Amino acid sequence: MKEGTLLMFGKKFDGLARSNKVEMKLTYVLTGLLLASSTHALCPYAEQALKDPNFLKRNLDQKAAVPEDAAKEKRQTGPAGLPFTTFNENQHIDVTGDHVWKAPGPKDIRGPCPGLNALANHGYFPRSGVVPLTVAATATQQVYGLALNFGIPLSVYATLVDGDVVGDTWSIGGKQPQTLTSPLLGAGDGLSGSHNKYESDASPGRGDYYLYNGDVDSLRVEKFQALYDLQKNAAVPNYDLNVLITHLKTVFEDSKSTNPYFFFGPFSGLAVANAAHTFIPSLMSNHSAEYPNGLLDKETLKSFFAITEAADGKLSWQPGWERIPDNWYRRPLGAVNEYSPASFALDLVKIAAAVPEAVSVGGNTGKVNTFTGVDLGDITGGAYHTTDLTNPQKFVCYFYQITLALVPDFLRSESLGTVLGSALNLLHSKIDPFVDPSCAKIANYNDDFAAKFPGAAVGRP
């Protein structure tokens, strides 16, 4: 990690009562937002947080209650896995008014994830590209239908591993601007600087770290072209999960055969890189009245990836111009419908059937085509094994437990002083509620395995 993140500020003052700690934290959060507002426009979620000190807490607690609109949408489907068979206008995403698309300004930050860039361009994230932890989880749920039990852990991880510890924010791209406290604790390197911690090789659209001298932000048009061409002759083009798995197989083989330092880590590779592929059909498909089960056609795909197509078919990319299409409808909300770790676990089973090595930890050993896997048992002290990853229930356990194991490892490598305890408390307070008590805990995380993979050196604690 670099310097940072998810600190619940007030908690570092040990002499204060618990209630005073919470009050202090909220004061610091709101002060940080007020300071930021002098140079960056706040998104509507952050503006509400300024007006209502309880806003952040209420949004984190939403996982326990289904809003009225979401409850209506929930009735669209049966148990998990059944198709969405009806349509609700509440799924429409507004791209007018406060959420009209605007190109990023010269000081605005954009990064490797097209979906996050689009949220910033439409003001669902602060347009600066620096997002508060809770805003990130709430906006990805409300706009894309990403379940809070997925979005909160991912945002917590981003904040703690590469964000601003005291400011409780993280950057969707490179380093965020300095704050009053970041000279002391640092504000992290953002997602663009999180290689092997969050960002990974084998991306659906970006290049591998080693092959492009650390540039993980730039879309490789030839890589996008390979995905685009998979539906070149389809009567009704649809970039669904099967198409993305085919693309993943190509991408994974390409990394193995061209990148001697290709590395696929226990979180950044296994969870994040694979999710980067499944998120495309799961979160970008248009669930319109005509296609309630979702359709990701060519125009929608190009819009989300900031791609334009000339009359001769040549594709070009405009950095940072990712856009939510007009007349776009997200997947329904509600516990059954949102994309959760359990949903991802089921998709991972399908990935494993087509690309077995993508559901493992490993990498090349300094030469191309030397991919070597490592059994998870050697990493997790026997708590989990590679074969467990295709068991959806065990994978969900692994997802939370590897997060709880890795973040402290990164945090302890930094000079955080008394702030370390507050960060660890926040980690557990936000993730523990999602964890099934029957899940095996990773009590002895061992990263010695990484020594055999030279590509693992980047981003190690």
Side-chain angles (χ1 to χ4, degrees), residues 292-315:
N293 295 327
L295 179 77
L296 182 52
D297 61 17
K298 290 182 177 181
E299 295 307 312
T300 301
L301 184 72
K302 288 186 293 185
S303 181
F304 272 113
F305 277 83
I307 289 285
T308 56
E309 185 172 6
D312 63 359
K314 184 178 179 180
L315 302 179

PDB file of all heavy atoms in Angstrom, residues 292-315:
ATOM      1  N   PRO A 292     -35.378  -6.783 -20.590  1.00  0.00           N
ATOM      2  CA  PRO A 292     -35.310  -6.704 -19.122  1.00  0.00           C
ATOM      3  C   PRO A 292     -34.192  -7.543 -18.518  1.00  0.00           C
ATOM      4  O   PRO A 292     -33.723  -7.249 -17.414  1.00  0.00           O
ATOM      5  CB  PRO A 292     -36.687  -7.197 -18.673  1.00  0.00           C
ATOM      6  CG  PRO A 292     -37.197  -8.001 -19.824  1.00  0.00           C
ATOM      7  CD  PRO A 292     -36.661  -7.337 -21.049  1.00  0.00           C
ATOM      8  N   ASN A 293     -33.747  -8.594 -19.230  1.00  0.00           N
ATOM      9  CA  ASN A 293     -32.653  -9.411 -18.725  1.00  0.00           C
ATOM     10  C   ASN A 293     -31.288  -8.808 -19.027  1.00  0.00           C
ATOM     11  O   ASN A 293     -30.270  -9.352 -18.610  1.00  0.00           O
ATOM     12  CB  ASN A 293     -32.719 -10.822 -19.322  1.00  0.00           C
ATOM     13  CG  ASN A 293     -33.950 -11.559 -18.868  1.00  0.00           C
ATOM     14  OD1 ASN A 293     -34.416 -11.363 -17.747  1.00  0.00           O
ATOM     15  ND2 ASN A 293     -34.516 -12.384 -19.730  1.00  0.00           N
ATOM     16  N   GLY A 294     -31.277  -7.702 -19.747  1.00  0.00           N
ATOM     17  CA  GLY A 294     -30.043  -7.001 -20.021  1.00  0.00           C
ATOM     18  C   GLY A 294     -29.487  -7.290 -21.398  1.00  0.00           C
ATOM     19  O   GLY A 294     -29.460  -8.437 -21.847  1.00  0.00           O
ATOM     20  N   LEU A 295     -29.027  -6.242 -22.072  1.00  0.00           N
ATOM     21  CA  LEU A 295     -28.364  -6.369 -23.361  1.00  0.00           C
ATOM     22  C   LEU A 295     -27.209  -5.371 -23.382  1.00  0.00           C
ATOM     23  O   LEU A 295     -27.405  -4.178 -23.135  1.00  0.00           O
ATOM     24  CB  LEU A 295     -29.323  -6.063 -24.515  1.00  0.00           C
ATOM     25  CG  LEU A 295     -28.700  -6.144 -25.913  1.00  0.00           C
ATOM     26  CD1 LEU A 295     -28.545  -7.615 -26.324  1.00  0.00           C
ATOM     27  CD2 LEU A 295     -29.563  -5.415 -26.943  1.00  0.00           C
ATOM     28  N   LEU A 296     -26.030  -5.863 -23.655  1.00  0.00           N
ATOM     29  CA  LEU A 296     -24.866  -4.991 -23.783  1.00  0.00           C
ATOM     30  C   LEU A 296     -24.459  -4.992 -25.257  1.00  0.00           C
ATOM     31  O   LEU A 296     -23.711  -5.856 -25.723  1.00  0.00           O
ATOM     32  CB  LEU A 296     -23.724  -5.483 -22.891  1.00  0.00           C
ATOM     33  CG  LEU A 296     -22.432  -4.647 -22.882  1.00  0.00           C
ATOM     34  CD1 LEU A 296     -22.730  -3.174 -22.604  1.00  0.00           C
ATOM     35  CD2 LEU A 296     -21.453  -5.199 -21.854  1.00  0.00           C
ATOM     36  N   ASP A 297     -25.003  -4.020 -25.988  1.00  0.00           N
ATOM     37  CA  ASP A 297     -24.737  -3.970 -27.421  1.00  0.00           C
ATOM     38  C   ASP A 297     -23.466  -3.170 -27.711  1.00  0.00           C
ATOM     39  O   ASP A 297     -22.794  -2.670 -26.795  1.00  0.00           O
ATOM     40  CB  ASP A 297     -25.933  -3.421 -28.181  1.00  0.00           C
ATOM     41  CG  ASP A 297     -26.304  -1.998 -27.782  1.00  0.00           C
ATOM     42  OD1 ASP A 297     -25.465  -1.302 -27.162  1.00  0.00           O
ATOM     43  OD2 ASP A 297     -27.439  -1.569 -28.081  1.00  0.00           O
ATOM     44  N   LYS A 298     -23.143  -3.023 -28.979  1.00  0.00           N
ATOM     45  CA  LYS A 298     -21.889  -2.375 -29.361  1.00  0.00           C
ATOM     46  C   LYS A 298     -21.845  -0.910 -28.935  1.00  0.00           C
ATOM     47  O   LYS A 298     -20.823  -0.421 -28.437  1.00  0.00           O
ATOM     48  CB  LYS A 298     -21.694  -2.487 -30.876  1.00  0.00           C
ATOM     49  CG  LYS A 298     -21.391  -3.897 -31.359  1.00  0.00           C
ATOM     50  CD  LYS A 298     -21.170  -3.924 -32.865  1.00  0.00           C
ATOM     51  CE  LYS A 298     -20.790  -5.331 -33.328  1.00  0.00           C
ATOM     52  NZ  LYS A 298     -20.546  -5.396 -34.798  1.00  0.00           N
ATOM     53  N   GLU A 299     -22.956  -0.184 -29.136  1.00  0.00           N
ATOM     54  CA  GLU A 299     -22.967   1.245 -28.812  1.00  0.00           C
ATOM     55  C   GLU A 299     -22.825   1.479 -27.318  1.00  0.00           C
ATOM     56  O   GLU A 299     -22.127   2.403 -26.892  1.00  0.00           O
ATOM     57  CB  GLU A 299     -24.243   1.898 -29.346  1.00  0.00           C
ATOM     58  CG  GLU A 299     -24.355   1.890 -30.864  1.00  0.00           C
ATOM     59  CD  GLU A 299     -23.127   2.483 -31.539  1.00  0.00           C
ATOM     60  OE1 GLU A 299     -22.704   3.576 -31.124  1.00  0.00           O
ATOM     61  OE2 GLU A 299     -22.597   1.854 -32.474  1.00  0.00           O
ATOM     62  N   THR A 300     -23.478   0.645 -26.523  1.00  0.00           N
ATOM     63  CA  THR A 300     -23.372   0.782 -25.064  1.00  0.00           C
ATOM     64  C   THR A 300     -21.958   0.472 -24.603  1.00  0.00           C
ATOM     65  O   THR A 300     -21.383   1.190 -23.764  1.00  0.00           O
ATOM     66  CB  THR A 300     -24.376  -0.155 -24.369  1.00  0.00           C
ATOM     67  OG1 THR A 300     -25.704   0.170 -24.804  1.00  0.00           O
ATOM     68  CG2 THR A 300     -24.298  -0.022 -22.864  1.00  0.00           C
ATOM     69  N   LEU A 301     -21.378  -0.589 -25.130  1.00  0.00           N
ATOM     70  CA  LEU A 301     -20.005  -0.954 -24.767  1.00  0.00           C
ATOM     71  C   LEU A 301     -19.036   0.168 -25.115  1.00  0.00           C
ATOM     72  O   LEU A 301     -18.190   0.551 -24.291  1.00  0.00           O
ATOM     73  CB  LEU A 301     -19.604  -2.244 -25.486  1.00  0.00           C
ATOM     74  CG  LEU A 301     -18.223  -2.808 -25.127  1.00  0.00           C
ATOM     75  CD1 LEU A 301     -18.235  -3.398 -23.725  1.00  0.00           C
ATOM     76  CD2 LEU A 301     -17.793  -3.870 -26.146  1.00  0.00           C
ATOM     77  N   LYS A 302     -19.162   0.718 -26.318  1.00  0.00           N
ATOM     78  CA  LYS A 302     -18.256   1.797 -26.736  1.00  0.00           C
ATOM     79  C   LYS A 302     -18.434   3.035 -25.861  1.00  0.00           C
ATOM     80  O   LYS A 302     -17.453   3.714 -25.533  1.00  0.00           O
ATOM     81  CB  LYS A 302     -18.504   2.137 -28.212  1.00  0.00           C
ATOM     82  CG  LYS A 302     -17.994   1.071 -29.178  1.00  0.00           C
ATOM     83  CD  LYS A 302     -18.118   1.508 -30.636  1.00  0.00           C
ATOM     84  CE  LYS A 302     -19.559   1.633 -31.086  1.00  0.00           C
ATOM     85  NZ  LYS A 302     -19.656   1.947 -32.537  1.00  0.00           N
ATOM     86  N   SER A 303     -19.653   3.333 -25.484  1.00  0.00           N
ATOM     87  CA  SER A 303     -19.911   4.501 -24.647  1.00  0.00           C
ATOM     88  C   SER A 303     -19.216   4.378 -23.299  1.00  0.00           C
ATOM     89  O   SER A 303     -18.555   5.318 -22.834  1.00  0.00           O
ATOM     90  CB  SER A 303     -21.424   4.677 -24.457  1.00  0.00           C
ATOM     91  OG  SER A 303     -21.704   5.810 -23.666  1.00  0.00           O
ATOM     92  N   PHE A 304     -19.337   3.227 -22.669  1.00  0.00           N
ATOM     93  CA  PHE A 304     -18.719   3.020 -21.358  1.00  0.00           C
ATOM     94  C   PHE A 304     -17.192   3.000 -21.431  1.00  0.00           C
ATOM     95  O   PHE A 304     -16.518   3.289 -20.440  1.00  0.00           O
ATOM     96  CB  PHE A 304     -19.216   1.720 -20.728  1.00  0.00           C
ATOM     97  CG  PHE A 304     -20.464   1.875 -19.916  1.00  0.00           C
ATOM     98  CD1 PHE A 304     -21.651   1.287 -20.320  1.00  0.00           C
ATOM     99  CD2 PHE A 304     -20.460   2.607 -18.739  1.00  0.00           C
ATOM    100  CE1 PHE A 304     -22.817   1.419 -19.562  1.00  0.00           C
ATOM    101  CE2 PHE A 304     -21.617   2.748 -17.971  1.00  0.00           C
ATOM    102  CZ  PHE A 304     -22.799   2.152 -18.386  1.00  0.00           C
ATOM    103  N   PHE A 305     -16.644   2.667 -22.595  1.00  0.00           N
ATOM    104  CA  PHE A 305     -15.187   2.596 -22.738  1.00  0.00           C
ATOM    105  C   PHE A 305     -14.593   3.798 -23.471  1.00  0.00           C
ATOM    106  O   PHE A 305     -13.407   3.800 -23.798  1.00  0.00           O
ATOM    107  CB  PHE A 305     -14.792   1.300 -23.448  1.00  0.00           C
ATOM    108  CG  PHE A 305     -14.703   0.119 -22.526  1.00  0.00           C
ATOM    109  CD1 PHE A 305     -15.849  -0.593 -22.177  1.00  0.00           C
ATOM    110  CD2 PHE A 305     -13.488  -0.274 -21.980  1.00  0.00           C
ATOM    111  CE1 PHE A 305     -15.786  -1.680 -21.320  1.00  0.00           C
ATOM    112  CE2 PHE A 305     -13.410  -1.367 -21.126  1.00  0.00           C
ATOM    113  CZ  PHE A 305     -14.556  -2.077 -20.786  1.00  0.00           C
ATOM    114  N   ALA A 306     -15.403   4.830 -23.721  1.00  0.00           N
ATOM    115  CA  ALA A 306     -14.918   6.057 -24.368  1.00  0.00           C
ATOM    116  C   ALA A 306     -14.329   5.775 -25.742  1.00  0.00           C
ATOM    117  O   ALA A 306     -13.292   6.333 -26.130  1.00  0.00           O
ATOM    118  CB  ALA A 306     -13.898   6.773 -23.482  1.00  0.00           C
ATOM    119  N   ILE A 307     -14.991   4.901 -26.485  1.00  0.00           N
ATOM    120  CA  ILE A 307     -14.544   4.504 -27.813  1.00  0.00           C
ATOM    121  C   ILE A 307     -15.469   5.115 -28.870  1.00  0.00           C
ATOM    122  O   ILE A 307     -16.697   5.102 -28.716  1.00  0.00           O
ATOM    123  CB  ILE A 307     -14.547   2.970 -27.965  1.00  0.00           C
ATOM    124  CG1 ILE A 307     -13.431   2.344 -27.130  1.00  0.00           C
ATOM    125  CG2 ILE A 307     -14.437   2.553 -29.422  1.00  0.00           C
ATOM    126  CD1 ILE A 307     -12.042   2.504 -27.706  1.00  0.00           C
ATOM    127  N   THR A 308     -14.887   5.646 -29.933  1.00  0.00           N
ATOM    128  CA  THR A 308     -15.667   6.077 -31.089  1.00  0.00           C
ATOM    129  C   THR A 308     -15.236   5.248 -32.291  1.00  0.00           C
ATOM    130  O   THR A 308     -14.098   4.794 -32.379  1.00  0.00           O
ATOM    131  CB  THR A 308     -15.459   7.571 -31.387  1.00  0.00           C
ATOM    132  OG1 THR A 308     -14.062   7.838 -31.562  1.00  0.00           O
ATOM    133  CG2 THR A 308     -15.996   8.436 -30.257  1.00  0.00           C
ATOM    134  N   GLU A 309     -16.176   5.067 -33.212  1.00  0.00           N
ATOM    135  CA  GLU A 309     -15.915   4.251 -34.389  1.00  0.00           C
ATOM    136  C   GLU A 309     -16.111   5.091 -35.651  1.00  0.00           C
ATOM    137  O   GLU A 309     -17.174   5.671 -35.853  1.00  0.00           O
ATOM    138  CB  GLU A 309     -16.837   3.035 -34.411  1.00  0.00           C
ATOM    139  CG  GLU A 309     -16.562   2.071 -35.542  1.00  0.00           C
ATOM    140  CD  GLU A 309     -17.358   0.781 -35.433  1.00  0.00           C
ATOM    141  OE1 GLU A 309     -18.231   0.682 -34.515  1.00  0.00           O
ATOM    142  OE2 GLU A 309     -17.127  -0.140 -36.243  1.00  0.00           O
ATOM    143  N   ALA A 310     -15.079   5.151 -36.473  1.00  0.00           N
ATOM    144  CA  ALA A 310     -15.147   5.912 -37.718  1.00  0.00           C
ATOM    145  C   ALA A 310     -15.957   5.146 -38.764  1.00  0.00           C
ATOM    146  O   ALA A 310     -16.260   3.958 -38.591  1.00  0.00           O
ATOM    147  CB  ALA A 310     -13.743   6.185 -38.235  1.00  0.00           C
ATOM    148  N   ALA A 311     -16.272   5.823 -39.855  1.00  0.00           N
ATOM    149  CA  ALA A 311     -17.064   5.207 -40.916  1.00  0.00           C
ATOM    150  C   ALA A 311     -16.383   3.977 -41.501  1.00  0.00           C
ATOM    151  O   ALA A 311     -17.054   3.032 -41.934  1.00  0.00           O
ATOM    152  CB  ALA A 311     -17.329   6.230 -42.015  1.00  0.00           C
ATOM    153  N   ASP A 312     -15.049   3.973 -41.469  1.00  0.00           N
ATOM    154  CA  ASP A 312     -14.316   2.823 -42.005  1.00  0.00           C
ATOM    155  C   ASP A 312     -14.123   1.707 -40.979  1.00  0.00           C
ATOM    156  O   ASP A 312     -13.440   0.716 -41.245  1.00  0.00           O
ATOM    157  CB  ASP A 312     -12.954   3.258 -42.550  1.00  0.00           C
ATOM    158  CG  ASP A 312     -12.042   3.837 -41.465  1.00  0.00           C
ATOM    159  OD1 ASP A 312     -12.466   3.914 -40.294  1.00  0.00           O
ATOM    160  OD2 ASP A 312     -10.892   4.218 -41.803  1.00  0.00           O
ATOM    161  N   GLY A 313     -14.736   1.886 -39.788  1.00  0.00           N
ATOM    162  CA  GLY A 313     -14.653   0.862 -38.754  1.00  0.00           C
ATOM    163  C   GLY A 313     -13.490   1.012 -37.801  1.00  0.00           C
ATOM    164  O   GLY A 313     -13.361   0.240 -36.849  1.00  0.00           O
ATOM    165  N   LYS A 314     -12.628   2.019 -38.008  1.00  0.00           N
ATOM    166  CA  LYS A 314     -11.482   2.210 -37.129  1.00  0.00           C
ATOM    167  C   LYS A 314     -11.938   2.740 -35.772  1.00  0.00           C
ATOM    168  O   LYS A 314     -12.718   3.692 -35.689  1.00  0.00           O
ATOM    169  CB  LYS A 314     -10.486   3.176 -37.746  1.00  0.00           C
ATOM    170  CG  LYS A 314      -9.215   3.351 -36.906  1.00  0.00           C
ATOM    171  CD  LYS A 314      -8.219   4.295 -37.575  1.00  0.00           C
ATOM    172  CE  LYS A 314      -6.975   4.465 -36.716  1.00  0.00           C
ATOM    173  NZ  LYS A 314      -5.994   5.384 -37.351  1.00  0.00           N
ATOM    174  N   LEU A 315     -11.434   2.118 -34.708  1.00  0.00           N
ATOM    175  CA  LEU A 315     -11.793   2.518 -33.350  1.00  0.00           C
ATOM    176  C   LEU A 315     -10.744   3.472 -32.779  1.00  0.00           C
ATOM    177  O   LEU A 315      -9.546   3.323 -33.038  1.00  0.00           O
ATOM    178  CB  LEU A 315     -11.892   1.291 -32.445  1.00  0.00           C
ATOM    179  CG  LEU A 315     -12.897   0.205 -32.851  1.00  0.00           C
ATOM    180  CD1 LEU A 315     -12.847  -0.961 -31.866  1.00  0.00           C
ATOM    181  CD2 LEU A 315     -14.303   0.769 -32.942  1.00  0.00           C
TER     182      LEU A 315
END
